[in-house]
Amino acid sequence: MPTASLLTLAGQSVVIDCGLGVTRGLADQGFALKGLSAIVITHLHSDHYLELGPLIHTAWTAGLKMPVRVWGPTGLRRYWQGFLESMADDLAYRIHEEGRPDLAALVEILPLAVGGRVEIGPLALTAGQSLHPPLTETFALRFEGAGKTVVFSGDTAHNPELAEFAQGADLLVHEAMLAEGLAPLLARIGNGDGRLMAHWLRGHTLAQDAAAVARAAGVRALALNHLIPSDDPAFGPAVWAECLAPYWDGQLHIGTDGLRITL
Ligand SMILES: [Zn+2]
Ligand SMILES: [Zn+2]
């Protein structure tokens, strides 16, 4: 399924990106949806926020009554207003007939800025710039808390500067693609043209370049996510690991739905 991660440190949980399937994914991890309190969206591509509204709404019907803060690009406010508008009939029903709290008042949409530092309970979040043209509001995320550091690359082209941003992290979660898997994927998708291939090549990072960033950053573990391709049996975890072997000899996790990494 598309991109969504749950980070839990020092008793604070943060959902990072809300691609399709995030609600099911959190439930599968045993996460109580009514405990949702913090969400960060790295950029406004559908595979990172398509299910943001449905996640919050489902948490609300499951008992959410504490505030939820959502950080992300400035355009996120428009998405959330549109979601509330699209669900207006249901929201009015549940507030008036079921006694639910006003969902609009529970949720705060906050802009994230490169270099900005945000306190999320006991966690400190620093936002960095990722390279994902043509978008400009695209963020890498560095979380620190309980003596641990976890960095998410966000969607990004190869970005050597990320090595400084991720310096010394216990875990770097980096997006990755396999060059030899791109042409078969484009053929299989079938409704995009050369522009889709061009977007992959200028907006995403080859697995070996993700490994180079991890090495330069001196991180303890590397997890690859947002895999392109992600669902081609010809490019399973063994192929990814084999591709990475010459470039990374540290702890490696190849992302799959439900993968759990303990720090
Ligand atoms: Zn993207
Ligand atoms: Zn993406």
Side-chain angles (χ1 to χ4, degrees):
M1 298 300 283
T3 309
S5 301
L6 173 66
L7 173 70
T8 301
L9 262 183
Q12 173 70 50
S13 291
V14 184
V15 176
I16 295 109
D17 284 334
C18 291
L20 194 67
V22 62
T23 312
R24 174 62 188 266
L26 292 174
D28 284 351
Q29 291 296 322
F31 179 80
L33 294 179
K34 64 188 283 188
L36 190 66
S37 66
I39 301 172
V40 183
I41 302 297
T42 58
H43 66 296
L44 298 184
H45 277 160
S46 59
D47 53 319
H48 299 258
Y49 76 116
L50 187 64
E51 201 172 301
L52 172 63
L55 168 63
I56 295 173
H57 186 287
T58 304
W60 180 61
T61 59
L64 181 79
K65 57 184 177 189
M66 300 299 282
V68 176
R69 289 184 293 167
V70 186
W71 290 270
T74 48
L76 204 54
R77 203 176 287 276
R78 186 155 66 106
Y79 165 86
W80 178 243
Q81 288 306 323
F83 178 78
L84 291 175
E85 178 64 24
S86 73
M87 296 301 294
D89 290 337
D90 175 83
L91 296 174
Y93 160 76
R94 292 188 190 279
I95 291 166
H96 296 299
E97 302 299 323
E98 298 180 351
R100 312 272 188 173
D102 181 1
L103 183 60
L106 276 186
V107 177
E108 201 177 356
I109 307 290
L110 299 160
L112 204 57
V114 169
R117 200 172 155 90
V118 174
E119 304 293 332
I120 306 177
L123 303 185
L125 162 64
T126 309
Q129 179 73 58
S130 80
L131 306 176
H132 197 46
L135 301 190
T136 53
E137 276 191 288
T138 60
F139 302 108
L141 309 172
R142 181 181 176 105
F143 292 92
E144 292 164 282
K148 302 284 186 185
T149 300
V150 179
V151 174
F152 291 80
S153 71
D155 281 16
T156 187
H158 181 208
N159 180 10
E161 289 183 15
L162 184 63
E164 193 181 329
F165 184 74
Q167 200 60 230
D170 295 277
L171 174 66
L172 171 62
V173 181
H174 202 299
E175 69 128 270
M177 63 182 172
L178 274 184
E180 55 271 41
L182 299 181
L185 177 60
L186 187 66
R188 206 152 44 89
I189 291 174
N191 72 347
D193 59 17
R195 284 170 292 186
L196 179 54
M197 176 67 85
H199 165 72
W200 288 336
L201 294 174
R202 77 175 176 140
H204 296 285
T205 303
L206 292 170
Q208 55 266 38
D209 291 332
V213 170
R215 276 200 320 274
V219 302
R220 293 181 55 175
L222 171 63
L224 299 184
N225 76 342
H226 198 280
L227 304 182
I228 306 176
S230 61
D231 58 349
D232 187 337
F235 299 98
V239 176
W240 283 88
E242 193 183 334
C243 167
L244 263 293
Y247 307 100
W248 177 252
D249 59 4
Q251 198 182 333
L252 175 67
H253 306 273
I254 307 294
T256 55
D257 291 348
L259 174 68
R260 200 169 177 136
I261 299 170
T262 303
L263 293 172

